Amino acid sequence: MTQDTDHLGRPVVVVTGMGAITSLGQGQADNWKALTSGASGIRRITRFPTDGMRVAIAGTVDFVPVADMSGPALAQRLAELVIEEAVTEAAIGRGGDFPGPLFVALPPIELEWTQRFALGAASGANESVSYDDLLRAAGKGGFESCYRRFLFGSVAEALADRFGTKGSPIATSTACASGGTAIQLGVEAIRRGETDAALVVGTDASVNAESVIRFSLLSALSTRNESPAAASRPFSKDREGFVMAEGAGALVLESLASARARGATVLGVIEGLGEAADGFHRTRSSPDGKPIIACMRHALADAGLGPEAVDYINAHGTGTPENDKMEWIGVSAVFGERAGSVPMSSNKSMIGHSLTAAGAIEVIFTVLTIRNGLLPPTINYETPDPALPVDCVPNVARAATVRHAISNSFGFGGQNVCLVIGAAA
Amino acid sequence: MAHERDALITGIGLVSCLGSGVGAHWDALNPAGAFTPVLDTESWPPFAVHPVAPMDLDKQIPKRGDQRQMEAWQRIGVFAAGLALESAGVKGNTEMLSRADLIVCAGGGERDVAVDATILSGYPKAANPGLFLNERLQSDLRPTLFLAQLSNLLAGNISIVHGVIGSSRTFMGEEASGADAVRIACARIAAGQSEISLVGGSYNAQRPEVILHYEMGGLQRRAPFTGIWARQADGGGMLLGSLGAFLVIESRAHAEARGATPFARVAAIRSDRCRREPGQATANARAQLHSMAAEIDPQGLGVISGASGAAAVTAEEQAFLAALGYPVRATATAMGHSLEPAMPANLGLAAAAVRHGRLFGPLEAAEQAMTAPLTQALVTSWGHWRGEALALVTAA
């Protein structure tokens, strides 16, 4: 990596700062320690009553206080904390003056039950409460802050304002691929020469009763309520669903030329981006795995690498029967005979599935994997699935030299992103 | 000067209260007499909304199963996307659409209003409120409703129904998301990161949750339901409109290679934000206009304004536009304000006007007629709360 441009003559894009929060803790250091010791962040939900719910476990982030708790309020706070960590590490810009645009991966926003009940109470309706009553209550005033909090643009706007990013902030949602999408947008902007730096963040704080129940109604979640730490079981034969989780990850992306010019430490290189949407079904992948395969191949081609150059796969690895099977089909097709011998572990076995934040968080962990020469394990791997002969780095972290890694993110609704990440030196 | 990386609008898909298709919109905006908007004042009094015109869904979403899997905002969007692909002459072109890029601007989908009302009514009286909420949600929510609500599932449905699968990104954030979707699509085309993109979104205003949201913000207009500019005399306010708008945007090289006839060119598009202290939005707009000054032909210029009607910001935009002196059309008078897809819709109308070589007639008394031929259109998108964008649409 001595040149400022890549094999296609585009600016090389590097990572110069990172910040992470997951159910395992706050900050890169704590997370890395827990992740490589095989700890689980999954626990019983205590934030709200889970009486009567089929699923009562999640990887919540309960250690970050917020005023007027709501999904967007916590998502914003998590984003603020990880951005502060990333910008401090990158030592870029001045406080509140980040020299580039903001791309935020964010879950959809809508009014929550707390606010609906408050409107219902304010309406004074006794017997039955309808939207007409809520409308009447809203018309009396006093809910302006609620309107603003639940605008889709509110989180990105607040972050742009606080960190002084440039231009119109972009909030993106491609379900479980959102974090990857945000990184793509940042890398593309730098490659176009629009900016020397970009701030990318993925954040998700969606663990509330309705969200958990919605995913549960799609039969997507593990129901191992009695043993939370063992509930997320990617690649195991007895896997039965993912575990919802919260968290955030932020990356400062920069052109290599810019990083070099200001003497910044390069943590890793975003070498390639691949994307392919799936037109097969709303929640299921094409049975032939074509979009997943295309997505990984596009990323490798974009990086100017062949599959033989990849030493590690940071799997999407949600632990649903369908996802892990399809990911293996994709990896088998792309890597051929090497497929079972390229280590492929799932961070989600420990942190759960942080949905829109997952792509960003897992790229950060992939950079740490490369830098530390240590592969985080897939925990809870007790019953191998003969149909998925993966080397998932079972249960215990393993030392390895990784020069190039890929990180997969596959979304509900058919949005797939694959990133190729390379070592700094 | 023509350049092979120019971003051309080669397809327009529009559906709103004015009708279905860009032709129907053009006709509705050019009535024989004075323009009269289509309004539903009956369904949610004292509010009014611009209802979507009837859609022949089978033509764009042939499988009834697909139609059933979607809620109204998705059907409106997938329908408009189909119209855009048809207008560009690429609908059903599997090979081309498999490498086409999709950028959708979206809010969220409909709630089950009956389920919400049951919970709202029973919760305060329940012996164990938490249990009551959980049990009702678990037994009353339709599992598939989730898929009709998620922001990214408009894009997902477009991929499934129309086969646009090269890439797929969904932007959220009210008006700004629509402007940024087009801005990013054009930037990618200019840089060679994309050849052909389908860009747009949809909005269903005919549901109580969104009326509630803007009522919480104190932003809804009550009678009289006058035009955007006339409304400013007595407090302003927004009238929401159901709308679907998609554009096919293509590099000139790609459009020429397949013999497409473009509507117009997106010569420039800029977006920014500010805290909306007085004058800040104007300063952003001035900087944006200045950055595209070299492309502007003042003799043939008209303005399509995305003004929402929200009081302070609409007044500021009105003053900014008045100082420029060009003829202006605030299309929310005709179609209502549709948040995310408002900018794509207005770009579509601008492109149609440029291709017709004239601006459509005034939508209210405050708007001046334009007799000179139209060669260019400026399109504004000042979000009702945040975000300022400006685009210049010129002859292809």
Side-chain angles (χ1 to χ4, degrees):
Chain A
M1 194 187 63
T2 48
Q3 291 200 329
D4 289 343
T5 51
D6 69 6
H7 67 113
L8 295 173
R10 306 169 300 191
V12 171
V13 179
V14 299
V15 180
T16 55
M18 307 191 293
I21 291 182
T22 72
S23 52
L24 291 173
Q26 181 175 349
Q28 288 180 53
D30 283 4
N31 269 284
W32 185 245
K33 202 173 143 201
L35 201 69
T36 49
S37 62
S40 169
I42 311 305
R43 51 184 81 89
R44 293 284 297 203
I45 295 168
T46 56
R47 182 178 296 161
F48 51 85
T50 55
D51 314 30
M53 288 173 60
R54 286 185 62 225
V55 174
I57 53 172
T60 48
V61 175
D62 293 317
F63 51 85
V64 174
V66 285
D68 292 326
M69 175 62 184
S70 67
L74 182 57
Q76 180 177 319
R77 185 65 195 134
L78 298 184
E80 288 167 357
L81 292 171
V82 295
I83 292 172
E84 276 164 15
E85 185 184 6
V87 170
T88 301
E89 181 174 36
I92 191 169
R94 284 159 304 163
D97 186 12
F98 184 89
L102 173 68
F103 300 95
V104 188
L106 201 69
I109 289 174
E110 70 174 4
L111 210 61
E112 294 167 9
W113 282 104
T114 311
Q115 296 79 30
R116 274 186 217 109
F117 290 139
L119 281 161
S123 76
N126 286 323
E127 267 321 293
S128 67
V129 184
S130 68
Y131 270 94
D132 286 341
D133 299 304
L134 303 192
L135 272 163
R136 202 161 27 76
K140 287 190 271 184
F143 288 91
E144 222 238 337
S145 62
C146 188
Y147 140 79
R148 196 168 303 127
R149 176 71 284 172
F150 290 92
L151 284 168
F152 283 85
S154 73
V155 173
E157 265 295 321
L159 295 175
D161 201 55
R162 177 170 180 146
F163 294 99
T165 54
K166 303 298 172 271
S168 182
I170 288 186
T172 186
S173 172
T174 51
C176 316
S178 305
T181 301
I183 294 171
Q184 271 188 306
L185 288 163
V187 170
E188 286 180 353
I190 295 170
R191 284 179 175 176
R192 288 195 295 267
E194 285 173 12
T195 180
D196 290 329
L199 184 57
V200 175
V201 58
T203 183
D204 202 310
S206 296
V207 178
N208 59 53
E210 183 167 324
S211 295
V212 174
I213 288 170
R214 282 177 182 175
F215 275 114
S216 150
L217 287 170
L218 293 175
S219 304
L221 300 180
S222 166
T223 55
R224 288 178 191 248
N225 295 327
E226 299 318 312
S227 46
S232 183
R233 311 174 73 74
F235 308 118
S236 278
K237 191 168 177 12
D238 55 359
R239 68 188 187 276
E240 48 149 28
F242 72 83
V243 178
M244 275 181 77
E246 299 177 325
L251 299 102
V252 173
L253 301 180
E254 229 177 320
S255 70
L256 176 59
S258 160
R260 216 202 294 270
R262 62 182 196 90
T265 302
V266 172
L267 306 174
V269 185
I270 310 290
E271 297 178 310
L273 317 170
E275 196 178 353
D278 195 331
F280 179 68
H281 188 267
R282 286 160 190 84
T283 57
R284 298 204 337 261
S285 308
S286 297
D288 57 8
K290 247 169 93 175
I292 291 177
I293 296 165
C295 177
M296 284 189 267
R297 286 192 172 142
H298 290 162
L300 288 167
D302 192 55
L305 296 171
E308 69 287 347
V310 174
D311 303 310
Y312 170 67
I313 299 168
N314 186 299
H316 187 54
T318 59
T320 65
E322 165 100 358
N323 174 81
D324 296 2
K325 184 182 83 182
M326 293 315 305
E327 189 163 12
W328 170 250
I329 288 174
V331 166
S332 310
V334 172
F335 290 87
E337 285 182 0
R338 275 188 77 225
S341 57
V342 182
M344 166 168 158
S345 66
S346 168
N347 302 153
K348 293 183 180 80
S349 63
M350 293 172 277
I351 62 172
H353 189 354
S354 52
L355 304 168
T356 57
I361 290 172
E362 289 166 17
V363 164
I364 291 168
F365 290 160
T366 303
V367 170
L368 291 173
T369 298
I370 297 172
R371 281 176 73 72
N372 290 287
L374 188 60
L375 312 178
T378 302
I379 66 164
N380 300 319
Y381 190 72
E382 287 157 3
T383 318
D385 183 343
L388 315 179
V390 291
D391 170 8
C392 69
V393 193
N395 303 314
V396 181
R398 184 198 303 162
T401 302
V402 180
R403 290 151 305 167
H404 307 281
I406 67 173
S407 177
N408 285 332
S409 300
F410 309 135
F412 248 21
Q415 285 115 30
N416 303 301
V417 176
C418 177
L419 303 173
V420 182
I421 297 126
Chain B
M1 216 167 54
H3 188 282
E4 63 175 20
R5 300 315 309 169
D6 285 342
L8 306 182
I9 296 175
T10 56
I12 303 171
L14 272 180
V15 60
S16 75
C17 67
L18 298 182
S20 168
V22 66
H25 280 73
W26 189 254
D27 293 344
L29 290 168
N30 289 284
F35 179 82
T36 317
V38 183
L39 268 181
D40 173 359
T41 55
E42 307 284 315
S43 301
W44 294 279
F47 310 107
V49 295
H50 294 264
V52 70
M55 297 176 281
D56 190 348
L57 286 177
D58 293 349
K59 282 207 174 135
Q60 300 301 339
I61 313 173
K63 287 187 193 157
R64 289 295 171 95
D66 282 334
Q67 294 180 21
R68 277 195 302 274
Q69 291 271 329
M70 299 178 214
E71 290 293 322
W73 78 288
Q74 292 170 328
R75 287 192 291 266
I76 295 169
V78 176
F79 182 79
L83 291 179
L85 297 173
E86 204 167 79
S87 153
V90 298
K91 197 175 159 206
N93 186 333
T94 314
E95 184 282 322
M96 194 174 291
L97 297 181
S98 73
R99 51 185 174 79
D101 299 303
L102 176 62
I103 309 184
V104 169
C105 49
E110 287 82 352
R111 294 195 60 84
D112 187 325
V113 171
V115 171
D116 285 358
T118 304
I119 294 173
L120 285 164
S121 304
Y123 185 85
K125 300 190 276 274
N128 179 343
L131 176 65
F132 173 82
L133 173 66
N134 295 344
E135 283 183 335
R136 290 271 61 81
L137 289 171
Q138 202 144 279
S139 64
D140 297 353
L141 282 180
R142 277 180 291 128
T144 51
L145 185 68
F146 193 16
L147 303 175
Q149 288 174 312
L150 289 172
S151 304
N152 69 306
L153 259 296
L154 171 53
N157 276 297
I158 290 171
S159 292
I160 290 167
V161 173
H162 299 305
V164 180
I165 53 169
S167 70
S168 174
R169 298 163 188 190
T170 295
F171 293 175
M172 303 181 301
E174 285 76 33
E175 298 90 344
S177 68
D180 284 326
V182 177
R183 175 174 64 86
I184 299 277
C186 291
R188 296 187 79 219
I189 286 169
Q193 292 171 339
S194 172
E195 291 298 335
I196 178 166
S197 291
L198 177 66
V199 190
S202 62
Y203 194 77
N204 174 19
Q206 295 156 272
R207 49 179 172 146
E209 319 92 278
V210 296
I211 297 173
L212 173 66
H213 191 228
Y214 291 101
E215 180 65 356
M216 288 193 301
L219 289 159
Q220 296 260 16
R221 176 70 182 180
R222 287 166 164 78
F225 300 118
T226 42
I228 288 287
W229 309 121
R231 245 178 261 171
Q232 298 312 306
D234 57 353
M238 303 185 341
L239 282 171
L240 300 175
S242 296
L243 182 147
F246 275 86
L247 304 171
V248 174
I249 306 182
E250 234 173 312
S251 72
R252 184 181 298 280
H254 194 270
E256 281 180 355
R258 69 180 186 89
T261 310
F263 284 87
R265 174 170 76 99
V266 183
I269 178 163
R270 313 259 188 269
S271 63
D272 210 337
R273 63 168 293 279
C274 65
R275 288 180 184 164
R276 289 284 170 88
E277 285 157 22
Q280 286 184 332
T282 302
N284 273 349
R286 281 204 185 112
Q288 290 163 350
L289 185 61
H290 182 73
S291 76
M292 48 187 84
E295 297 260 14
I296 284 177
D297 161 26
Q299 302 312 316
L301 189 78
V303 178
I304 310 276
S305 166
S308 63
V313 60
T314 298
E316 190 171 326
E317 182 178 339
Q318 189 173 17
F320 167 73
L321 293 176
L324 295 182
Y326 304 117
V328 177
R329 302 291 179 264
T331 59
T333 296
M335 306 189 292
H337 187 51
S338 58
L339 287 301
E340 290 87 3
M343 181 63 155
N346 284 331
L347 284 163
L349 293 178
V354 166
R355 182 137 106 179
H356 282 281
R358 64 181 184 83
L359 188 59
F360 46 88
L363 300 171
E364 58 175 306
E367 295 180 344
Q368 55 172 295
M370 180 172 183
T371 44
L374 181 94
T375 58
Q376 299 187 328
L378 275 175
V379 184
T380 70
S381 171
W382 293 22
H384 75 278
W385 177 59
R386 286 289 187 271
E388 299 82 34
L390 185 69
L392 178 66
V393 176
T394 66

